[in-house]
C-alpha cells in the first residue's frame, strides 16, 4: 500500500481551513485527506507551524527546503520520494496512488454539534 506525506507551509491550523477567506485548494485537500483516512489509507499532513521538527528530520523535505526555500511548500512524498513541490497533488494523482476513484475523494467531514442549554437555567 502507498504512503503519502504532505508537508504544508505554516498555517494557522492543521488543515488551513479557517479564517474569513478559505482557499478552495485547502478545502479540497482537507476533504481528500479525510476521505482517504476514513478508507484506511496511509496519508498524513504536517504543518510547518506546528511540527517543524518533522520537516527538519525528513531528509528529502529538508533537502528541498535548503535548495529551493519555503516557496517549495507544500511538498508531497510518495513512499518517501518527492513527487510534488510548490502545489498540492490533484485528486486524480491521489486516486491513482491509492487505487480509488477521484470522485471518492470529495467526502466532506461531518461536524455534529450538540448544545445542551439546560445548564444555563
Amino acid at each position: 500500500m502507498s504512503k503519502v506525506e504532505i508537508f504544508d507551509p505554516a498555517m494557522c491550523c492543521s488543515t488551513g481551513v479557517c479564517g474569513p477567506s478559505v482557499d478552495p485548494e485547502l478545502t479540497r485537500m482537507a476533504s481528500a485527506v479525510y476521505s482517504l483516512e476514513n478508507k484506511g489509507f496511509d496519508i498524513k499532513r504536517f504543518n510547518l507551524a506546528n511540527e517543524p521538527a518533522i520537516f527538519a528530520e525528513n531528509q528529502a523535505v529538508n533537502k528541498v527546503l535548503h535548495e529551493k526555500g519555503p516557496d517549495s511548500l507544500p511538498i508531497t512524498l510518495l513512499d518517501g520520494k518527492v513527487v510534488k513541490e510548490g502545489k498540492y497533488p490533484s485528486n486524480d494523482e491521489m486516486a491513482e496512488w491509492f487505487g480509488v476513484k477521484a470522485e471518492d475523494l470529495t467526502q466532506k467531514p461531518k461536524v455534529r454539534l450538540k448544545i445542551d442549554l439546560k445548564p444555563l437555567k
Side-chain angles (χ1 to χ4, degrees):
M1 181 187 328
S2 296
K3 176 181 180 180
V4 172
E5 297 167 288
I6 300 168
F7 292 80
D8 290 309
M11 297 187 290
C12 57
C13 63
S14 63
T15 62
V17 183
C18 53
S21 59
V22 176
D23 181 348
E25 184 68 351
L26 292 175
T27 303
R28 181 188 67 78
M29 279 306 303
S31 294
V33 170
Y34 175 81
S35 296
L36 288 165
E37 286 175 334
N38 279 344
K39 294 177 187 319
F41 291 108
D42 192 358
I43 183 166
K44 293 186 178 38
R45 285 177 77 182
F46 303 102
N47 182 340
L48 181 59
N50 300 329
E51 303 160 296
I54 294 172
F55 286 68
E57 293 166 3
N58 186 294
Q59 290 181 350
V61 171
N62 198 328
K63 181 180 179 192
V64 172
L65 287 173
H66 273 77
E67 291 174 358
K68 299 179 182 176
D71 288 340
S72 60
L73 294 170
I75 298 170
T76 303
L77 303 184
L78 174 61
D79 297 325
K81 296 180 182 167
V82 176
V83 292
K84 200 93 167 175
E85 297 173 19
K87 60 183 177 176
Y88 290 101
S90 69
N91 283 4
D92 289 334
E93 289 170 315
M94 289 186 290
E96 181 182 328
W97 298 336
F98 290 109
V100 298
K101 295 178 187 171
E103 52 269 13
D104 291 344
L105 304 181
T106 57
Q107 178 183 357
K108 299 217 179 354
K110 291 181 178 132
V111 177
R112 294 185 184 182
L113 182 63
K114 181 180 178 184
I115 300 174
D116 185 1
L117 299 175
K118 290 177 188 173
L120 296 176
K121 290 183 182 179

